[in-house]
Amino acid sequence: MSEAVNKSLRAAGDRAKGLAAVFQGFKDFISRGNAIELAVGVVIGAAFGSVVTAIQNGLIAPLIAMIFGKPDISSLWVISGRNDAEINVGMILNALLQFLITAAAIYFIIVLPLNKLAERRKKGVEAEPARPSEDILLLQEIRDLLAAQSSTALRADTNQPPAPGTPEAPGSPEARGGSGAHRL
């Protein structure tokens, strides 16, 4: 009976070690800069999408309604054919017009003013933003150093050997079976 219990405990320990390795790999994946940057880009893109929608609904659609009598010209030109087939030229024109007007609105409302501001800053007319404080600079330096270190998951993905001085490197105390208590 005790042999079966010992076998079960060893198997449970092995599963726990495997689970720890999975969680370590997940932690390495999440802490990679590109996953976080991608998430931030998606969130910012979604927020910017609502700005574009507001410009479309609040400015562009009313302009089209003033010109054509309705905010949507997709039913303006429909060509009927055989077997109830319809070629909707108005829908294509509506999509092109919406795109061009939206692109122009984005350019003149957002891009052009930001370019002018950058130009003024370059000439020295507009003051540059204040330099970050020392604690922010220190945090940025720490972030950059951490980003420069290759993680276990990244090395596994690219088949790179561990960097010298890392716990996985040959000759390190951890690789020789040491405790690694000297690490921070």
Side-chain angles (χ1 to χ4, degrees):
M1 183 69 158
S2 66
E3 181 63 32
V5 170
N6 284 338
K7 208 180 229 186
S8 297
L9 288 175
R10 271 186 255 127
D14 290 343
R15 282 192 300 273
K17 288 178 186 175
L19 190 59
V22 168
F23 281 122
Q24 179 63 37
F26 179 72
K27 178 184 153 202
D28 291 342
F29 168 73
I30 292 298
S31 63
R32 286 185 200 161
N34 56 358
I36 294 169
E37 290 169 6
L38 179 63
V40 169
V42 168
V43 171
I44 294 297
F48 191 71
S50 66
V51 170
V52 170
T53 301
I55 291 171
Q56 172 67 31
N57 294 337
L59 177 68
I60 297 169
L63 285 175
I64 291 174
M66 288 178 198
I67 297 169
F68 294 101
K70 50 187 169 182
D72 187 342
I73 61 170
S74 59
S75 61
L76 186 67
W77 185 8
V78 178
I79 302 170
S80 297
R82 286 191 200 171
N83 300 328
D84 295 327
E86 292 182 342
I87 299 174
N88 197 335
V89 179
M91 184 183 294
I92 297 168
L93 292 175
N94 187 56
L96 287 171
L97 187 61
Q98 294 283 347
F99 171 75
L100 290 175
I101 294 174
T102 302
I106 297 286
Y107 178 76
F108 289 111
I109 294 173
I110 297 172
V111 174
L112 191 63
L114 288 177
N115 286 345
K116 290 291 184 185
L117 179 64
E119 188 179 303
R120 290 178 66 183
R121 282 186 176 160
K122 197 178 217 181
K123 289 180 181 176
V125 175
E126 188 78 24
E128 287 289 327
R131 184 175 184 268
S133 62
E134 288 299 318
D135 55 344
I136 299 296
L137 292 173
L138 180 61
L139 287 171
Q140 288 174 342
E141 183 178 343
I142 292 169
R143 177 203 61 204
D144 295 342
L145 288 171
L146 288 173
Q149 290 180 347
S150 61
S151 67
T152 306
L154 181 61
R155 282 192 305 277
D157 289 347
T158 58
N159 295 323
Q160 293 178 348
T166 60
E168 300 87 13
S172 68
E174 289 82 5
R176 291 190 308 257
S179 67
H182 66 282
R183 291 179 45 211
L184 293 175

